[in-house]
Amino acid sequence: MPSQDTKLKILITTDLFTTETNGVVTSVKNLFDELTANGHDVRILTISDNLHSHKEGAVYYIRSIPLKAVYPNLRMPVSYRHRLIQEIIDWKPDVVHSQCEFFSFQFAARISRITGAPIVHTYHTLYEQYLTSYVVPSKRLGEFLAKVISRNRLKRVKTLVAPTQKVENTLQSYGMRAPISVVPSGISLEQHHKRLTHQQRLEKRRELGIADTDQVLLNLGRLGGEKNLGELMNLFAQARQYNENLKFLIVGDGPARLALEEQAEELGVAEHVIFTGMVDPGEVQNYYQLGDVFVSASTSETQGLTYIEAAANGLPLLCRQDDCLADVLQEGENGYEYTSAQEFLHAIDAVFHDPKWRDAAAKRSEQIAAAFDKKAFGEAIENIYESVL
């Protein structure tokens, strides 16, 4: 850990800072909190959600326009030489920590070039599935573009941070020259240690139309095509044929919601699927606790903070097999991975027919999540800053 006397000026740049259910936003906020708590002078430079540039405390928002034709909620800044950016240049950060490869990275590159501050970059997103879902029709072309764009964009960064071994392997396959450090993004465990009472849980479930005897599969996060929720909807419909007590609780919102609602109607399970829409971030732990099993079919995650949050709330996990689950899901201990419908259905049957296993899995999930406390995350990032300086 850096010396307690070493206090740095740290600039964090990010395209995203207002989407509360986004993993990048969660990571940035937790990093900001930890670095600030350790006495560093930290500022965030991001993109406004309108045509107005402004400053709120340590956060600088640069005016932007929407690019919905390219990607839902995507915005592009319309100024790279605004007075607020000049204020940051005059402040002279010691290090620039960029969190996104596109628009805000141009802020990071320009400020680094003028001030001489080295760039540390966290690679949060594997773009192949995003490109295939929203931009190009070919998976092979999407993979090629992700490789070329990432390698070209990040060729001048001092060091790269990968949230998981999965991301490190991908970056190495891209031919990145900068050294790579694997640092899992931390979460604020304090919020997820709060527990509803048994009665509170029953009442909240009833408010959503969930009976006391219902068994609830839960997914929480952004509803995007890359999250593969359509697969979960199909699997849920199949599982209902064998277990009529199943409900599917989907917490969050996004561009795929309408298609998912239509799919539920077509499959004849609409009355058993509950969409909550966006929820208050301060209440998110309560929604996790309304479920009995956390389910995911996504293979686009770099780490999957929702998996860790679900585990911290004592939920067993049932997820499509993916390398990012290596440190979060222990097969048979706190959940199961699946690669086929048959495996998914077998896991559902096993989970709900063994209450003792569910209790043990809940405890194991909490133990695993404890390793992702944001304090360790902050200390690891501090050490990287010291190494590049």
Side-chain angles (χ1 to χ4, degrees):
M1 183 177 173
S3 165
Q4 292 298 314
D5 295 329
T6 307
K7 303 307 177 186
L8 303 174
K9 294 180 180 179
I10 302 161
L11 174 65
I12 299 173
T13 62
T14 175
D15 287 3
L16 306 164
F17 197 65
T18 55
T19 309
E20 297 290 354
T21 56
N22 185 283
V24 176
V25 178
T26 300
S27 180
V28 170
K29 288 183 175 179
N30 286 337
L31 181 58
F32 176 86
D33 289 345
E34 287 305 304
L35 294 174
T36 302
N38 287 342
H40 299 293
D41 185 0
V42 188
R43 301 186 187 184
I44 296 172
L45 178 58
T46 188
I47 297 170
S48 173
D49 60 2
N50 54 48
L51 274 169
H52 175 58
S53 294
H54 61 289
K55 177 180 169 184
E56 294 179 12
V59 185
Y60 295 68
Y61 295 89
I62 303 301
R63 59 190 178 187
S64 68
I65 57 174
L67 289 179
K68 293 180 181 179
V70 178
Y71 182 79
N73 300 324
L74 180 67
R75 299 188 69 90
M76 179 180 73
V78 293
S79 175
Y80 283 94
R81 297 180 180 273
H82 192 274
R83 62 174 179 79
L84 290 179
I85 298 175
Q86 187 59 49
E87 182 178 320
I88 290 173
I89 291 171
D90 294 340
W91 172 61
K92 295 182 179 179
D94 295 306
V95 63
V96 178
H97 191 161
S98 61
Q99 307 283 332
C100 299
E101 293 74 29
F102 293 100
F103 301 120
S104 62
F105 187 81
Q106 291 179 245
F107 298 149
R110 179 167 179 261
I111 292 167
S112 171
R113 186 173 63 252
I114 294 172
T115 65
I119 299 177
V120 173
H121 181 81
T122 296
Y123 200 93
H124 288 279
T125 306
L126 297 179
Y127 289 99
E128 289 93 334
Q129 293 191 32
Y130 287 81
L131 288 166
T132 303
S133 296
Y134 298 100
V135 183
V136 297
S138 165
K139 184 175 187 292
R140 182 174 294 180
L141 178 58
E143 292 173 350
F144 174 77
L145 288 174
K147 175 180 178 178
V148 172
I149 293 171
S150 296
R151 190 167 59 190
N152 182 64
R153 195 71 165 163
L154 303 175
K155 60 187 177 184
R156 291 186 178 87
V157 304
K158 194 74 171 178
T159 193
L160 288 159
V161 177
T164 59
Q165 189 69 49
K166 172 185 175 180
V167 179
E168 181 184 33
N169 294 341
T170 299
L171 292 174
Q172 289 176 340
S173 74
Y174 288 171
M176 294 295 191
R177 296 179 180 177
I180 304 169
S181 298
V182 177
V183 180
S185 295
I187 68 168
S188 177
L189 289 175
E190 182 180 357
Q191 175 181 0
H192 298 288
H193 285 160
K194 299 175 182 176
R195 291 289 182 265
L196 295 172
T197 65
H198 176 69
Q199 190 59 35
Q200 287 173 329
R201 182 174 185 266
L202 290 179
E203 290 173 0
K204 286 182 178 293
R205 282 165 58 111
R206 290 167 188 165
E207 289 171 5
L208 292 170
I210 301 170
D212 295 355
T213 55
D214 283 339
Q215 297 167 336
V216 178
L217 309 184
L218 177 135
N219 181 274
L220 186 148
R222 183 178 176 280
L223 309 188
E226 70 283 354
K227 301 298 185 182
N228 204 20
L229 283 158
E231 177 180 294
L232 283 181
M233 191 68 75
N234 283 326
L235 292 171
F236 170 71
Q238 293 179 55
R240 283 250 342 144
Q241 297 176 18
Y242 304 98
N243 185 346
E244 294 183 351
N245 290 327
L246 287 182
K247 283 280 202 312
F248 190 9
L249 179 60
I250 300 176
V251 182
D253 213 338
R257 177 170 176 172
L258 179 59
L260 289 168
E261 290 174 337
E262 292 173 348
Q263 183 184 5
E265 290 284 355
E266 292 169 1
L267 291 170
V269 295
E271 64 180 299
H272 308 293
V273 180
I274 302 161
F275 292 87
T276 68
M278 292 288 287
V279 300
D280 183 340
E283 298 287 326
V284 73
Q285 72 280 357
N286 296 337
Y287 285 88
Y288 279 116
Q289 292 168 41
L290 300 184
D292 295 299
V293 179
F294 180 84
V295 293
S296 174
S298 176
T299 56
S300 68
E301 310 300 322
T302 54
Q303 181 175 1
L305 292 180
T306 54
Y307 302 152
I308 302 169
E309 290 178 352
N313 281 281
L315 284 182
L317 312 178
L318 174 54
C319 306
R320 174 164 278 286
Q321 193 281 323
D322 190 70
D323 290 345
C324 80
L325 292 163
D327 297 321
V328 184
L329 196 162
Q330 300 298 316
E331 184 73 13
E333 294 185 23
N334 74 316
Y336 297 97
E337 294 184 68
Y338 74 91
T339 58
S340 66
Q342 184 178 6
E343 289 178 356
F344 182 93
L345 297 174
H346 178 75
I348 288 289
D349 185 63
V351 167
F352 287 113
H353 279 81
D354 192 345
K356 289 185 178 179
W357 179 88
R358 287 203 308 277
D359 290 342
K363 292 183 175 64
R364 184 70 182 118
S365 277
E366 292 176 4
Q367 291 170 354
I368 290 171
F372 294 89
D373 184 72
K374 66 178 184 177
K375 183 175 178 60
F377 168 53
E379 291 178 355
I381 295 296
E382 282 185 296
N383 285 330
I384 290 174
Y385 297 160
E386 290 294 322
S387 71
V388 300
L389 292 171

